[in-house]
Amino acid sequence: MSASTPKKSPGFLLNLVFNIIIPTLVLSKLSEEHLLGPVWALVAALAFPVCFGLYELKQSQKVNLLSVLGIVSVLLTGGISLLQLDPAYIAIKEAAVPGLIALAVFFSQFTKYPLVKKILLNDELLDLSKLQQSLQQKNAVALFEQKLRHCAYLVSATFVLSSVLNYGLAKYLLVSQPGTPAFNEELAQMTALSYPVIALPSMLMLMVAIFYLFYQIGKVTGESVENFLRQ
């Protein structure tokens, strides 16, 4: 294996621990004044996903737009909370981040650089040069691009769903004044529920888009999708 081969990103379990489990425990268990207090507990809890996100970026050796947006989202949550602004701003932020991604994916279809290719056509999973060669041999490049646009609509819908669920969950749970143990407890609940309420439905929709893409690769090329998978 050459030295230029990209390093693998950390596994699902580590993502779960650093982005959900540890922040939830810190916010819910250490926010009382005789412990860390609400401010420092918030800082400590948000430090884990930020540091883990930066570590992922370093390990992958390339800038990932979704990872960067995730870090920015956490920092915005921290900023809004530390400034003790109205919790409604967090709900708006929670909806805005995936909403902007949905718009970017949708409108990028009308440019030379559709984002759906970055999201779904992963060079670490698929041999893209082999796929492109097969499409050219069968004069199916235009047809595949059309199918890819359908995938873009599915991906956009996934982020729209995430936007709506993010807003609803934040609006429902965050009712206390920031800077208080009660607010940190609510933020802990939102963090803990973000996976089953938001991440799972969004992942299922994204899997539908991926399965649709794989099905169309096989249908358009007339070959098994396994022929294009990296070994």
Side-chain angles (χ1 to χ4, degrees):
M1 185 176 292
S2 66
S4 61
T5 302
K7 297 179 182 179
K8 292 184 179 179
S9 60
F12 168 76
L13 184 58
L14 282 179
N15 274 281
L16 198 63
V17 169
F18 282 90
N19 289 317
I20 295 180
I21 295 175
I22 293 178
T24 298
L25 290 175
V26 171
L27 286 168
S28 60
K29 303 298 183 182
L30 301 178
S31 293
E32 297 297 331
E33 292 293 349
H34 65 283
L35 297 172
L36 288 179
V39 173
W40 285 110
L42 178 65
V43 171
L46 296 181
F48 284 96
V50 169
C51 291
F52 186 71
L54 293 173
Y55 170 77
E56 278 192 306
L57 288 174
K58 181 180 178 181
Q59 287 295 102
S60 65
Q61 299 179 350
K62 59 184 179 181
V63 177
N64 183 301
L65 177 61
L66 296 181
S67 297
V68 172
L69 285 174
I71 294 172
V72 171
S73 178
V74 173
L75 291 175
L76 285 173
T77 297
I80 293 170
S81 303
L82 292 174
L83 291 173
Q84 299 186 13
L85 302 178
D86 192 312
Y89 288 111
I90 293 182
I92 294 171
K93 184 273 301 180
E94 289 291 311
V97 172
L100 289 173
I101 297 173
L103 290 173
V105 171
F106 180 81
F107 286 109
S108 70
Q109 290 306 298
F110 307 102
T111 72
K112 294 180 179 180
Y113 306 102
L115 286 176
V116 69
K117 289 186 177 181
K118 291 287 186 181
I119 296 173
L120 296 184
L121 290 180
N122 190 331
D123 192 43
E124 294 179 8
L125 177 63
L126 294 169
D127 189 333
L128 298 182
S129 60
K130 186 177 180 181
L131 174 59
Q132 186 67 20
Q133 184 179 14
S134 178
L135 291 171
Q136 289 173 346
Q137 288 174 350
K138 296 175 174 62
N139 295 317
V141 174
L143 178 59
F144 183 70
E145 292 291 332
Q146 181 185 38
K147 302 302 181 182
L148 202 56
R149 282 195 292 274
H150 296 163
C151 288
Y153 302 145
L154 287 173
V155 173
S156 292
T158 299
F159 285 108
V160 169
L161 174 65
S162 178
S163 178
V164 172
L165 293 176
N166 276 344
Y167 181 82
L169 188 64
K171 197 69 177 174
Y172 176 73
L173 290 176
L174 302 181
V175 295
S176 299
Q177 178 64 29
T180 63
F183 175 81
N184 281 14
E185 179 65 32
E186 292 161 5
L187 196 59
Q189 292 179 35
M190 188 180 80
T191 303
L193 290 173
S194 65
Y195 182 74
V197 175
I198 297 168
L200 276 181
S202 299
M203 285 173 60
L204 288 174
M205 286 190 65
L206 196 58
M207 286 176 63
V208 169
I210 292 172
F211 282 126
Y212 175 81
L213 175 65
F214 281 5
Y215 172 75
Q216 292 301 331
I217 288 175
K219 186 177 180 181
V220 171
T221 63
E223 302 178 48
S224 170
V225 71
E226 295 178 356
N227 293 340
F228 305 106
L229 295 177
R230 293 286 189 185
Q231 299 300 319

